[in-house]
Amino acid sequence: MKELVITKENFDEEVRNYRGMPILLDFWAGWCGPCMMLSPVIAEIAEEYDGKVKVGKVNVDEQPELATAFRVESIPLLVVVKDGAITAQTVGVRPKEDIVKMLGL
């Protein structure tokens, strides 16, 4: 599955009210070097774990309300949401294996 672009308009449907597989949210920005380093890893997870995880990208510059709601202070910020609740989060570039472990896969 391709990564979903998460906005304040689709957040409730795609994240808050979604029940099922875990959701990996990647809070990022185009000017963020570490975010660009992590982006191919996130895309790989979205493709490799299609049907097991939903992957969403949140551009903090375009979605300041969501960045504030998640208290984003540093990026990249990865947040795992399961059935509407945050189950894990981490800041910075992480190896793929660590991210998969966060997802419980």
Side-chain angles (χ1 to χ4, degrees), residues 93-105:
V93 176
R94 295 285 182 262
K96 179 180 171 184
E97 299 78 29
D98 291 358
I99 300 167
V100 171
K101 282 181 191 172
M102 282 177 50
L103 292 163
L105 301 174

Side-chain angles (χ1 to χ4, degrees), residues 1-47:
M1 174 186 278
K2 190 175 186 222
E3 301 122 306
L4 300 166
V5 175
I6 303 297
T7 66
K8 66 181 181 176
E9 290 79 21
N10 70 2
F11 179 80
D12 283 348
E13 176 186 345
E14 297 292 350
V15 180
R16 180 175 286 142
N17 300 327
Y18 178 80
R19 301 295 180 258
M21 59 187 134
I23 304 165
L24 175 63
L25 295 177
D26 175 18
F27 289 85
W28 70 283
W31 48 263
C32 168
C35 298
M36 296 301 107
M37 289 171 50
L38 190 60
S39 188
V41 174
I42 300 300
E44 199 174 291
I45 289 171
E47 189 172 317

